[in-house]
C-alpha cells in the first residue's frame, strides 16, 4: 500500500493560511473606528457603490486617491457598505500581495527556503497586519507596487515583449490610481527594458509606447470623470496641499496640520471661495514661492524627510500608557523593522541577487523614496515598499543559513 508524501509543515499553502489567520485575528482584536482618512475612503466608496460621483466626508471629489474606493465599491454594492466588507477586500488584497512576494522571490532566483522566509516575513510584518484592519489605501498600494516590480522582472527575463510591456503599463496605471506616489515606479520596467535590449533605443521604443499607452487606458476614465466633476482632468487634487504642508515656514518634515501653517486661518474660507481644485493649486503656488525664496531650507528639509522615511517608528509615551501588551507589540515592530532593513541591505551585497535584478528593484525603491522627499513623511508612507525589502531580507537570510549548513556538513564529513 502506497501513501502520498506529506507536504512539509512550512509549505507555501500553510504560510498563506498563516497570513490570513493573523489578519483575521487582528481584525477582531483591534476594531478600528471610521475616522479621518478611513472615513473619507469609506464615504467615497459608498457614493460609488450607489452609482453617484465620488464625494468624501468633506465634500471633495478627488482629494483622496480614487483607486482604493474603486476597489471597495463593487463589494459595497453587492454586500452593503460596512467596515467588515472592507476588511474582506483588504484580506483578498493581502493574499494577492503575499502571492506576489513569492513570485518576486522566485523571479530573483531565490530557492524554496527564501520564498518561504519572504512569505513568513510578510505574514508577520506588523504594520501590514495593522493596515489590513483599516480602510487605508496602503492595502491597495502595496500589491500594486509589487505587481509593477514583478512585471518589470518578467520583462527583464523575457525580453522586450509588447504584450508583457502592455500588462506592465496596466499595472502601473492602476498603481497611480491607488496613489500618485507610484509615479516613479515606471523606472523599474524602464531599467528592465534597458537591460533586456542592451540599452538599444530602437528596440525599447515599441514596448515603452505599449506600456505608456496601456497606462493611459487605465487612467483615461478617471481623467474624464474629474473633468466632468471639477472642470479639469486630474489624478488627485491634493498635490498642492501636500507640497505646501511639506514646504512652508512651519514645516518640520513630518505632517503638520494645515491649521499650524501660515495659511491656516484662511484655509476654510479659501477652500469655500476657490473650490477644491483652485484652493489646493493656490497652496501649491505658495509652496513653490517659499521654496524659491528658501533653497537652503528646502535642501535641509528634504534631507530630513529622506532620513525620516527610513527612521524606525519608535513607541512613544501614548503607547506606554495604553497597556503592556501594546508596548510589547510596538517594541517588537521596531525589532522587526531593524532586522528586515539590516538583512535587506546585506542581501544587496551578497551574490544571491543578480546585478540586473538588483538595479530593477532598487529603481523602484529609490524612486519611491526620493519622491517622498518633496512633500512630508508619515511612517505608513514606506509601507508599500516594505514587502520588497522583506524579499531581499529573506534572500540574505536563506543564503546565510545555507552557507552555515554547508560549513557544518563539510566539518562533519572531515
Amino acid at each position: 500500500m502506497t501513501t502520498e508524501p506529506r507536504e512539509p509543515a512550512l509549505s507555501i499553502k500553510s504560510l498563506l493560511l498563516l497570513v490570513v489567520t493573523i489578519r483575521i485575528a487582528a481584525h477582531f482584536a483591534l476594531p478600528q473606528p471610521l475616522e479621518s482618512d478611513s472615513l473619507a475612503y469609506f464615504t467615497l466608496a459608498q457614493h460609488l457603490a450607489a452609482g453617484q460621483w465620488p464625494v468624501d466626508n468633506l465634500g471633495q471629489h478627488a482629494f483622496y486617491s480614487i483607486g482604493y474606493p474603486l476597489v471597495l465599491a463593487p463589494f459595497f454594492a453587492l454586500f452593503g457598505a460596512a467596515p467588515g466588507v472592507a476588511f474582506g477586500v483588504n484580506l483578498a488584497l493581502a493574499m494577492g500581495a503575499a502571492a506576489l512576494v513569492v513570485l518576486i522571490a522566485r523571479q530573483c532566483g531565490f530557492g524554496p527556503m527564501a520564498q518561504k522566509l519572504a512569505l513568513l516575513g510578510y505574514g508577520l510584518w506588523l504594520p501590514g497586519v495593522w493596515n489590513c484592519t483599516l480602510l487605508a489605501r496602503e492595502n491597495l498600494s502595496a500589491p500594486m507596487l509589487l505587481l509593477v516590480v514583478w512585471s518589470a522582472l518578467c520583462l527583464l527575463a523575457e525580453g522586450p515583449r509588447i504584450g508583457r510591456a502592455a500588462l506592465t503599463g496596466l499595472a502601473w496605471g492602476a498603481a497611480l490610481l491607488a496613489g500618485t506616489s507610484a509615479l516613479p515606479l515606471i523606472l523599474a520596467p524602464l531599467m528592465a527594458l534597458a537591460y533586456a535590449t542592451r540599452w538599444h533605443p530602437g528596440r525599447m521604443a515599441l514596448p515603452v509606447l505599449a506600456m505608456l499607452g496601456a497606462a493611459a487606458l487605465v487612467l483615461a476614465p478617471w481623467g474624464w470623470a474629474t473633468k466632468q466633476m471639477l472642470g479639469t482632468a486630474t489624478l488627485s487634487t491634493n498635490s498642492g496641499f501636500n507640497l505646501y504642508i511639506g514646504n512652508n515656514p512651519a514645516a518640520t518634515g513630518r505632517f503638520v496640520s494645515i491649521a499650524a501653517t501660515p495659511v491656516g486661518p484662511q484655509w476654510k474660507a479659501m477652500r469655500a471661495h476657490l473650490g477644491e481644485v483652485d484652493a489646493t493649486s493656490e497652496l501649491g503656488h505658495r509652496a513653490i514661492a517659499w521654496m524659491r525664496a528658501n533653497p537652503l531650507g528646502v535642501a535641509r528639509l528634504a534631507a530630513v524627510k529622506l532620513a525620516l522615511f527610513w527612521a524606525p517608528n519608535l513607541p512613544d509615551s501614548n503607547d506606554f500608557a495604553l497597556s503592556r501588551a501594546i508596548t510589547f507589540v510596538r517594541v517588537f515592530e521596531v525589532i522587526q523593522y531593524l532586522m528586515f532593513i539590516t538583512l535587506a541591505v546585506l542581501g544587496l551585497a551578497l551574490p544571491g541577487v543578480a546585478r540586473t535584478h538588483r538595479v530593477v528593484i532598487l529603481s523602484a525603491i529609490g524612486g519611491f523614496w526620493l519622491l517622498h522627499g518633496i512633500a512630508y513623511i508619515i511612517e505608513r508612507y514606506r509601507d508599500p515598499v516594505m514587502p520588497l525589502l522583506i524579499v531581499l531580507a529573506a534572500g540574505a537570510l536563506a543564503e546565510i543559513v545555507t552557507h552555515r549548513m554547508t560549513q557544518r556538513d563539510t566539518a562533519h564529513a572531515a
Side-chain angles (χ1 to χ4, degrees):
M1 181 176 172
T2 59
T3 56
E4 298 239 346
R6 283 173 43 183
E7 201 171 83
L10 266 185
S11 66
I12 295 293
K13 287 180 184 176
S14 63
L15 288 169
L16 286 171
L17 182 61
L18 178 68
V19 171
V20 172
T21 304
I22 289 174
R23 282 153 179 77
I24 291 174
H27 171 65
F28 288 106
L30 302 166
Q32 303 291 347
L34 272 179
E35 58 187 14
S36 188
D37 289 3
S38 292
L39 179 59
Y41 289 122
F42 183 87
T43 309
L44 287 163
Q46 221 174 5
H47 280 89
L48 286 167
Q52 303 164 356
W53 288 123
V55 183
D56 66 25
N57 52 308
L58 295 176
Q60 302 164 123
H61 291 291
F63 187 82
Y64 290 89
S65 295
I66 198 62
Y68 184 54
L70 276 174
V71 172
L72 292 175
F75 298 94
F76 278 13
L78 286 171
F79 306 110
V85 175
F87 171 70
V89 175
N90 289 349
L91 199 58
L93 291 170
M95 290 297 289
L100 284 163
V101 161
V102 175
L103 290 172
I104 289 172
R106 194 172 294 163
Q107 203 67 37
C108 286
F110 294 157
M113 182 194 293
Q115 293 172 32
K116 291 173 186 177
L117 285 171
L119 188 49
L120 178 63
Y122 173 78
L124 296 175
W125 173 233
L126 288 174
V129 175
W130 173 260
N131 284 338
C132 196
T133 67
L134 294 164
L135 272 88
R137 72 176 177 87
E138 285 73 22
N139 289 302
L140 179 62
S141 293
M144 287 297 100
L145 183 148
L146 292 171
L147 186 57
V148 172
V149 172
W150 177 69
S151 294
L153 292 172
C154 289
L155 272 174
L156 185 62
E158 298 170 5
R161 294 187 178 181
I162 302 297
R164 173 63 69 183
L167 289 173
T168 306
L170 292 175
W172 182 53
L176 283 169
L177 288 179
T180 50
S181 57
L183 185 65
L185 294 183
I186 191 65
L187 291 172
L190 287 178
M191 289 305 300
L193 279 172
Y195 277 118
T197 60
R198 298 180 184 273
W199 299 84
H200 193 291
R203 292 182 64 205
M204 285 179 65
L206 280 178
V208 169
L209 286 174
M211 196 156 45
L212 297 178
L217 284 176
V218 174
L219 299 174
W222 179 235
W224 175 85
T226 53
K227 177 73 174 174
Q228 303 307 306
M229 293 185 291
L230 300 168
T232 184
T234 182
L235 265 178
S236 168
T237 59
N238 67 14
S239 298
F241 180 90
N242 289 340
L243 188 65
Y244 180 77
I245 293 297
N247 299 277
N248 71 81
T252 64
R254 295 189 183 275
F255 176 79
V256 294
S257 169
I258 187 74
T261 68
V263 85
Q266 317 151 37
W267 175 236
K268 284 187 180 179
M270 186 189 298
R271 190 167 58 183
H273 176 65
L274 296 177
E276 181 179 340
V277 174
D278 290 341
T280 53
S281 293
E282 174 61 23
L283 287 184
H285 295 322
R286 295 191 186 198
I288 291 168
W290 184 84
M291 292 166 78
R292 284 175 175 163
N294 300 274
L296 289 178
V298 171
R300 180 187 61 80
L301 266 176
V304 168
K305 293 168 196 173
L306 292 175
L308 286 173
F309 185 89
W310 298 113
N313 186 13
L314 299 171
D316 56 24
S317 55
N318 293 330
D319 295 315
F320 289 110
L322 284 172
S323 73
R324 207 178 233 178
I326 292 294
T327 302
F328 173 78
V329 168
R330 293 286 288 106
V331 169
F332 181 61
E333 177 193 330
V334 173
I335 294 169
Q336 263 190 325
Y337 175 71
L338 293 174
M339 181 182 71
F340 287 144
I341 286 289
T342 304
L343 284 170
V345 171
L346 185 59
L348 289 169
L350 292 172
V353 183
R355 186 175 68 87
T356 51
H357 291 72
R358 197 179 300 149
V359 170
V360 169
I361 291 172
L362 281 178
S363 297
I365 295 172
F368 192 79
W369 171 45
L370 291 173
L371 183 73
H372 282 86
I374 299 172
Y376 60 86
I377 297 298
I378 295 176
E379 283 80 5
R380 62 182 170 83
Y381 283 2
R382 70 165 170 251
D383 288 352
V385 85
M386 280 305 298
L388 273 183
L389 294 171
I390 290 170
V391 170
L392 293 172
L397 185 57
E399 196 165 337
I400 292 167
V401 170
T402 303
H403 180 68
R404 288 286 176 89
M405 289 170 66
T406 303
Q407 281 187 323
R408 186 191 63 192
D409 291 345
T410 304
H412 285 167

Short mmCIF file of all heavy atoms in Angstrom, two decimals, residues 287-333:
data_model
loop_
_atom_site.label_atom_id
_atom_site.label_comp_id
_atom_site.label_asym_id
_atom_site.label_seq_id
_atom_site.Cartn_x
_atom_site.Cartn_y
_atom_site.Cartn_z
N ALA A 287 3.69 77.24 -1.86
CA ALA A 287 4.80 76.35 -1.51
C ALA A 287 5.99 76.58 -2.43
O ALA A 287 7.14 76.69 -1.97
CB ALA A 287 4.35 74.89 -1.59
N ILE A 288 5.73 76.69 -3.73
CA ILE A 288 6.81 76.90 -4.70
C ILE A 288 7.49 78.24 -4.46
O ILE A 288 8.72 78.36 -4.53
CB ILE A 288 6.27 76.79 -6.14
CG1 ILE A 288 5.87 75.33 -6.43
CG2 ILE A 288 7.30 77.27 -7.15
CD1 ILE A 288 5.07 75.15 -7.69
N ALA A 289 6.70 79.27 -4.16
CA ALA A 289 7.27 80.60 -3.87
C ALA A 289 8.19 80.53 -2.65
O ALA A 289 9.28 81.11 -2.64
CB ALA A 289 6.15 81.61 -3.65
N TRP A 290 7.74 79.80 -1.61
CA TRP A 290 8.57 79.67 -0.40
C TRP A 290 9.84 78.89 -0.70
O TRP A 290 10.93 79.23 -0.22
CB TRP A 290 7.77 78.97 0.70
CG TRP A 290 8.52 78.89 1.99
CD1 TRP A 290 8.61 79.84 2.97
CD2 TRP A 290 9.32 77.78 2.44
NE1 TRP A 290 9.42 79.40 3.99
CE2 TRP A 290 9.87 78.14 3.70
CE3 TRP A 290 9.63 76.53 1.91
CZ2 TRP A 290 10.70 77.29 4.43
CZ3 TRP A 290 10.46 75.68 2.63
CH2 TRP A 290 10.98 76.05 3.88
N MET A 291 9.73 77.86 -1.52
CA MET A 291 10.89 77.04 -1.87
C MET A 291 11.92 77.86 -2.66
O MET A 291 13.12 77.74 -2.44
CB MET A 291 10.43 75.82 -2.69
CG MET A 291 9.61 74.82 -1.88
SD MET A 291 8.74 73.61 -2.89
CE MET A 291 10.07 72.48 -3.30
N ARG A 292 11.45 78.70 -3.57
CA ARG A 292 12.37 79.54 -4.34
C ARG A 292 13.08 80.55 -3.45
O ARG A 292 14.25 80.88 -3.68
CB ARG A 292 11.59 80.27 -5.44
CG ARG A 292 11.23 79.37 -6.61
CD ARG A 292 10.37 80.09 -7.62
NE ARG A 292 10.12 79.28 -8.80
CZ ARG A 292 9.15 79.52 -9.68
NH1 ARG A 292 8.35 80.57 -9.50
NH2 ARG A 292 8.98 78.72 -10.72
N ALA A 293 12.36 81.04 -2.44
CA ALA A 293 12.95 82.04 -1.55
C ALA A 293 13.86 81.42 -0.48
O ALA A 293 14.65 82.14 0.14
CB ALA A 293 11.83 82.84 -0.87
N ASN A 294 13.74 80.10 -0.27
CA ASN A 294 14.49 79.43 0.80
C ASN A 294 15.15 78.15 0.31
O ASN A 294 14.86 77.06 0.82
CB ASN A 294 13.56 79.11 1.98
CG ASN A 294 12.93 80.34 2.58
OD1 ASN A 294 13.51 80.99 3.43
ND2 ASN A 294 11.73 80.66 2.12
N PRO A 295 16.05 78.24 -0.66
CA PRO A 295 16.65 77.00 -1.21
C PRO A 295 17.40 76.17 -0.18
O PRO A 295 17.36 74.94 -0.21
CB PRO A 295 17.58 77.52 -2.31
CG PRO A 295 17.81 78.96 -2.00
CD PRO A 295 16.57 79.43 -1.32
N LEU A 296 18.11 76.83 0.75
CA LEU A 296 18.85 76.07 1.77
C LEU A 296 17.89 75.37 2.73
O LEU A 296 18.12 74.23 3.13
CB LEU A 296 19.78 77.01 2.54
CG LEU A 296 20.99 77.52 1.76
CD1 LEU A 296 21.82 78.48 2.62
CD2 LEU A 296 21.86 76.37 1.28
N GLY A 297 16.80 76.06 3.08
CA GLY A 297 15.79 75.45 3.95
C GLY A 297 15.14 74.25 3.28
O GLY A 297 14.87 73.23 3.92
N VAL A 298 14.90 74.36 1.98
CA VAL A 298 14.30 73.26 1.22
C VAL A 298 15.25 72.06 1.20
O VAL A 298 14.83 70.91 1.41
CB VAL A 298 13.98 73.71 -0.22
CG1 VAL A 298 13.57 72.51 -1.08
CG2 VAL A 298 12.87 74.74 -0.21
N ALA A 299 16.54 72.31 0.96
CA ALA A 299 17.53 71.23 0.93
C ALA A 299 17.62 70.55 2.30
O ALA A 299 17.69 69.32 2.38
CB ALA A 299 18.89 71.78 0.52
N ARG A 300 17.62 71.35 3.36
CA ARG A 300 17.69 70.78 4.71
C ARG A 300 16.45 69.94 5.01
O ARG A 300 16.55 68.82 5.51
CB ARG A 300 17.81 71.90 5.75
CG ARG A 300 17.89 71.41 7.20
CD ARG A 300 17.83 72.57 8.17
NE ARG A 300 16.59 73.30 8.07
CZ ARG A 300 15.43 72.92 8.61
NH1 ARG A 300 15.37 71.77 9.28
NH2 ARG A 300 14.35 73.64 8.47
N LEU A 301 15.28 70.48 4.66
CA LEU A 301 14.03 69.74 4.89
C LEU A 301 13.99 68.45 4.09
O LEU A 301 13.53 67.42 4.58
CB LEU A 301 12.83 70.62 4.51
CG LEU A 301 12.18 71.44 5.61
CD1 LEU A 301 11.08 72.32 5.03
CD2 LEU A 301 11.61 70.54 6.71
N ALA A 302 14.46 68.51 2.85
CA ALA A 302 14.46 67.31 2.01
C ALA A 302 15.33 66.22 2.63
O ALA A 302 14.95 65.04 2.65
CB ALA A 302 14.95 67.64 0.60
N ALA A 303 16.49 66.62 3.16
CA ALA A 303 17.38 65.64 3.80
C ALA A 303 16.71 65.03 5.03
O ALA A 303 16.80 63.82 5.28
CB ALA A 303 18.69 66.30 4.19
N VAL A 304 16.01 65.88 5.79
CA VAL A 304 15.29 65.39 6.98
C VAL A 304 14.21 64.40 6.57
O VAL A 304 14.05 63.33 7.17
CB VAL A 304 14.67 66.58 7.76
CG1 VAL A 304 13.69 66.09 8.83
CG2 VAL A 304 15.77 67.42 8.41
N LYS A 305 13.46 64.73 5.53
CA LYS A 305 12.37 63.86 5.08
C LYS A 305 12.90 62.50 4.60
O LYS A 305 12.33 61.46 4.91
CB LYS A 305 11.59 64.54 3.94
CG LYS A 305 10.83 65.78 4.35
CD LYS A 305 10.35 66.52 3.10
CE LYS A 305 9.93 67.93 3.42
NZ LYS A 305 9.63 68.72 2.21
N LEU A 306 13.98 62.55 3.83
CA LEU A 306 14.55 61.30 3.31
C LEU A 306 15.07 60.42 4.44
O LEU A 306 14.99 59.19 4.37
CB LEU A 306 15.66 61.61 2.31
CG LEU A 306 15.19 62.26 1.00
CD1 LEU A 306 16.38 62.63 0.13
CD2 LEU A 306 14.22 61.37 0.25
N ALA A 307 15.58 61.05 5.50
CA ALA A 307 16.02 60.28 6.67
C ALA A 307 14.82 59.74 7.45
O ALA A 307 14.81 58.58 7.88
CB ALA A 307 16.89 61.14 7.57
N LEU A 308 13.79 60.59 7.62
CA LEU A 308 12.60 60.17 8.36
C LEU A 308 11.88 59.01 7.68
O LEU A 308 11.25 58.18 8.35
CB LEU A 308 11.63 61.35 8.50
CG LEU A 308 12.00 62.45 9.50
CD1 LEU A 308 11.03 63.61 9.40
CD2 LEU A 308 12.03 61.90 10.92
N PHE A 309 11.97 58.94 6.36
CA PHE A 309 11.31 57.86 5.62
C PHE A 309 11.75 56.49 6.13
O PHE A 309 10.95 55.56 6.20
CB PHE A 309 11.63 57.99 4.13
CG PHE A 309 10.89 57.01 3.25
CD1 PHE A 309 9.66 57.34 2.73
CD2 PHE A 309 11.45 55.79 2.93
CE1 PHE A 309 8.98 56.44 1.91
CE2 PHE A 309 10.78 54.89 2.11
CZ PHE A 309 9.55 55.21 1.60
N TRP A 310 13.05 56.38 6.49
CA TRP A 310 13.60 55.10 6.95
C TRP A 310 13.75 55.02 8.46
O TRP A 310 14.25 54.02 8.98
CB TRP A 310 14.95 54.84 6.30
CG TRP A 310 14.88 54.72 4.81
CD1 TRP A 310 15.41 55.57 3.89
CD2 TRP A 310 14.24 53.69 4.05
NE1 TRP A 310 15.15 55.15 2.61
CE2 TRP A 310 14.43 53.99 2.68
CE3 TRP A 310 13.52 52.54 4.40
CZ2 TRP A 310 13.93 53.18 1.67
CZ3 TRP A 310 13.02 51.74 3.38
CH2 TRP A 310 13.22 52.06 2.04
N ALA A 311 13.34 56.06 9.18
CA ALA A 311 13.50 56.05 10.65
C ALA A 311 12.56 55.03 11.28
O ALA A 311 11.40 54.92 10.87
CB ALA A 311 13.23 57.44 11.22
N PRO A 312 13.01 54.27 12.27
CA PRO A 312 12.11 53.31 12.96
C PRO A 312 10.95 54.06 13.61
O PRO A 312 11.11 55.18 14.09
CB PRO A 312 13.02 52.68 14.02
CG PRO A 312 14.41 52.98 13.60
CD PRO A 312 14.37 54.26 12.82
N ASN A 313 9.79 53.44 13.58
CA ASN A 313 8.59 54.03 14.20
C ASN A 313 8.60 53.69 15.70
O ASN A 313 7.94 52.75 16.15
CB ASN A 313 7.34 53.47 13.52
CG ASN A 313 6.07 54.14 14.01
OD1 ASN A 313 6.12 55.18 14.68
ND2 ASN A 313 4.93 53.56 13.69
N LEU A 314 9.38 54.46 16.46
CA LEU A 314 9.59 54.16 17.88
C LEU A 314 8.33 54.40 18.69
O LEU A 314 7.57 55.35 18.42
CB LEU A 314 10.73 55.04 18.43
CG LEU A 314 12.10 54.84 17.77
CD1 LEU A 314 13.08 55.91 18.24
CD2 LEU A 314 12.64 53.45 18.07
N PRO A 315 8.07 53.57 19.70
CA PRO A 315 6.91 53.79 20.58
C PRO A 315 7.07 55.08 21.36
O PRO A 315 8.20 55.48 21.70
CB PRO A 315 6.91 52.56 21.50
CG PRO A 315 8.29 52.01 21.42
CD PRO A 315 8.83 52.37 20.08
N ASP A 316 5.96 55.75 21.63
CA ASP A 316 6.00 56.99 22.42
C ASP A 316 5.27 56.81 23.74
O ASP A 316 4.84 55.71 24.08
CB ASP A 316 5.41 58.16 21.62
CG ASP A 316 3.98 57.88 21.14
OD1 ASP A 316 3.30 57.04 21.77
OD2 ASP A 316 3.55 58.49 20.15
N SER A 317 5.12 57.90 24.48
CA SER A 317 4.50 57.83 25.80
C SER A 317 3.06 57.34 25.74
O SER A 317 2.58 56.67 26.65
CB SER A 317 4.55 59.20 26.48
OG SER A 317 3.94 60.19 25.66
N ASN A 318 2.36 57.66 24.64
CA ASN A 318 0.96 57.19 24.49
C ASN A 318 0.91 55.67 24.41
O ASN A 318 0.01 55.04 24.98
CB ASN A 318 0.33 57.80 23.23
CG ASN A 318 0.13 59.29 23.35
OD1 ASN A 318 -0.07 59.80 24.45
ND2 ASN A 318 0.20 59.99 22.24
N ASP A 319 1.85 55.07 23.68
CA ASP A 319 1.90 53.61 23.58
C ASP A 319 2.15 52.98 24.94
O ASP A 319 1.50 52.00 25.32
CB ASP A 319 3.00 53.18 22.60
CG ASP A 319 2.72 53.64 21.18
OD1 ASP A 319 1.58 53.48 20.72
OD2 ASP A 319 3.65 54.15 20.53
N PHE A 320 3.09 53.54 25.69
CA PHE A 320 3.42 53.00 27.01
C PHE A 320 2.24 53.15 27.97
O PHE A 320 2.04 52.31 28.85
CB PHE A 320 4.65 53.69 27.59
CG PHE A 320 5.93 53.32 26.89
CD1 PHE A 320 6.61 54.22 26.10
CD2 PHE A 320 6.46 52.04 27.03
CE1 PHE A 320 7.78 53.87 25.45
CE2 PHE A 320 7.64 51.67 26.38
CZ PHE A 320 8.30 52.59 25.59
N ALA A 321 1.45 54.22 27.78
CA ALA A 321 0.32 54.47 28.68
C ALA A 321 -0.86 53.54 28.41
O ALA A 321 -1.66 53.27 29.30
CB ALA A 321 -0.14 55.93 28.56
N LEU A 322 -0.98 53.03 27.19
CA LEU A 322 -2.13 52.21 26.82
C LEU A 322 -2.14 50.88 27.57
O LEU A 322 -3.10 50.55 28.26
CB LEU A 322 -2.15 51.97 25.31
CG LEU A 322 -2.62 53.17 24.46
CD1 LEU A 322 -2.41 52.87 22.98
CD2 LEU A 322 -4.08 53.49 24.73
N SER A 323 -1.11 50.10 27.37
CA SER A 323 -1.03 48.80 28.04
C SER A 323 0.33 48.19 27.82
O SER A 323 1.08 48.60 26.93
CB SER A 323 -2.11 47.84 27.52
OG SER A 323 -1.79 47.39 26.22
N ARG A 324 0.64 47.18 28.63
CA ARG A 324 1.91 46.47 28.48
C ARG A 324 1.94 45.72 27.15
O ARG A 324 2.98 45.64 26.50
CB ARG A 324 2.02 45.48 29.65
CG ARG A 324 3.43 45.15 30.01
CD ARG A 324 3.45 44.21 31.19
NE ARG A 324 4.30 44.71 32.23
CZ ARG A 324 4.47 44.09 33.38
NH1 ARG A 324 3.79 42.99 33.63
NH2 ARG A 324 5.27 44.59 34.29
N ALA A 325 0.79 45.16 26.76
CA ALA A 325 0.73 44.40 25.50
C ALA A 325 1.02 45.29 24.30
O ALA A 325 1.78 44.91 23.40
CB ALA A 325 -0.65 43.75 25.35
N ILE A 326 0.43 46.48 24.28
CA ILE A 326 0.68 47.41 23.18
C ILE A 326 2.14 47.81 23.13
O ILE A 326 2.76 47.88 22.07
CB ILE A 326 -0.22 48.67 23.32
CG1 ILE A 326 -1.69 48.30 23.11
CG2 ILE A 326 0.20 49.74 22.33
CD1 ILE A 326 -2.04 47.84 21.71
N THR A 327 2.72 48.05 24.31
CA THR A 327 4.14 48.40 24.38
C THR A 327 5.00 47.28 23.80
O THR A 327 5.92 47.53 23.00
CB THR A 327 4.56 48.65 25.84
OG1 THR A 327 3.75 49.69 26.38
CG2 THR A 327 6.02 49.06 25.93
N PHE A 328 4.68 46.04 24.16
CA PHE A 328 5.43 44.88 23.65
C PHE A 328 5.32 44.79 22.13
O PHE A 328 6.31 44.57 21.44
CB PHE A 328 4.92 43.59 24.30
CG PHE A 328 5.52 42.35 23.72
CD1 PHE A 328 6.80 41.94 24.09
CD2 PHE A 328 4.82 41.58 22.79
CE1 PHE A 328 7.37 40.80 23.55
CE2 PHE A 328 5.38 40.45 22.24
CZ PHE A 328 6.67 40.05 22.63
N VAL A 329 4.11 44.97 21.62
CA VAL A 329 3.89 44.89 20.17
C VAL A 329 4.67 45.98 19.45
O VAL A 329 5.30 45.73 18.41
CB VAL A 329 2.38 44.99 19.85
CG1 VAL A 329 2.15 45.20 18.36
CG2 VAL A 329 1.64 43.74 20.30
N ARG A 330 4.64 47.19 19.99
CA ARG A 330 5.35 48.30 19.34
C ARG A 330 6.86 48.09 19.35
O ARG A 330 7.55 48.40 18.38
CB ARG A 330 4.97 49.62 20.04
CG ARG A 330 3.52 50.02 19.87
CD ARG A 330 3.23 50.53 18.46
NE ARG A 330 3.82 51.85 18.31
CZ ARG A 330 4.91 52.11 17.60
NH1 ARG A 330 5.53 51.14 16.95
NH2 ARG A 330 5.38 53.32 17.51
N VAL A 331 7.38 47.59 20.46
CA VAL A 331 8.82 47.31 20.54
C VAL A 331 9.18 46.19 19.55
O VAL A 331 10.20 46.26 18.85
CB VAL A 331 9.23 46.93 21.98
CG1 VAL A 331 10.65 46.38 22.00
CG2 VAL A 331 9.11 48.13 22.91
N PHE A 332 8.32 45.16 19.46
CA PHE A 332 8.57 44.05 18.52
C PHE A 332 8.56 44.57 17.08
O PHE A 332 9.35 44.11 16.25
CB PHE A 332 7.51 42.97 18.71
CG PHE A 332 7.70 41.78 17.81
CD1 PHE A 332 8.84 41.01 17.86
CD2 PHE A 332 6.72 41.45 16.87
CE1 PHE A 332 9.02 39.92 17.02
CE2 PHE A 332 6.88 40.37 16.02
CZ PHE A 332 8.03 39.60 16.10
N GLU A 333 7.68 45.53 16.79
CA GLU A 333 7.63 46.11 15.44
C GLU A 333 8.97 46.77 15.09
O GLU A 333 9.47 46.62 13.97
CB GLU A 333 6.50 47.15 15.36
CG GLU A 333 6.42 47.85 14.00
CD GLU A 333 5.52 49.07 14.04
OE1 GLU A 333 4.56 49.10 14.83
OE2 GLU A 333 5.78 50.01 13.26
#
